[in-house]
Amino acid sequence: MPDPEKLTGARLVEEVSRTLSVPTADVQAVWETALETIRDAIVNGRPVVLMNVGTLDPITRSARLGYDVGSGEYVRRPRRRSVRFNPSRKLREDL
C-alpha cells in the first residue's frame, strides 16, 4: 500500500492538474518532458538548478577500497558517477 505522506510523481501530476484546472494528460506530458530534460542534463554532466529547491550536481566518485563485513575481506570499489543534491538556502531555512 502506498505511503499516504509520500509525494509521488502521479500525486504531483494530480495536484497540479486539480490546482490549475488543466487536464491530467497535459500535466503528465509536461512532467515527463521535464524529467527527461533534467535526466539528460545530468547524464551530460550539467548541473540542474531548481529555484528555491536546490541543485542536482553530477559528480564522479573516486575508486576506493571498501570492506565486506560478511567475508571480512577488502574489496575494490570502482570509480562511478553519481548525483549530489545541494538544497537551496530557502529550503534549508524552511526546514
Side-chain angles (χ1 to χ4, degrees), residues 2 8 31 77 79 85 87:
T8 63
W31 175 245
R77 298 282 176 119
R79 182 177 68 165
F85 175 70

Side-chain angles (χ1 to χ4, degrees), residues 14-49:
E14 290 172 11
E15 290 286 326
V16 170
S17 175
R18 186 172 34 257
T19 301
L20 299 178
S21 300
V22 176
T24 303
D26 292 347
V27 176
Q28 181 70 33
V30 170
W31 175 245
E32 289 174 3
T33 302
L35 288 179
E36 184 178 321
T37 303
I38 290 168
R39 182 188 178 287
D40 289 346
I42 292 169
V43 166
N44 290 315
R46 297 189 340 249
V48 176
V49 178

Side-chain angles (χ1 to χ4, degrees), residues 72-87:
E73 297 177 3
Y74 287 95
V75 292
R76 290 191 183 278
R77 298 282 176 119
R79 182 177 68 165
R80 65 186 179 95
R81 294 177 69 194
S82 186
V83 177
R84 177 180 301 144
F85 175 70
N86 293 312

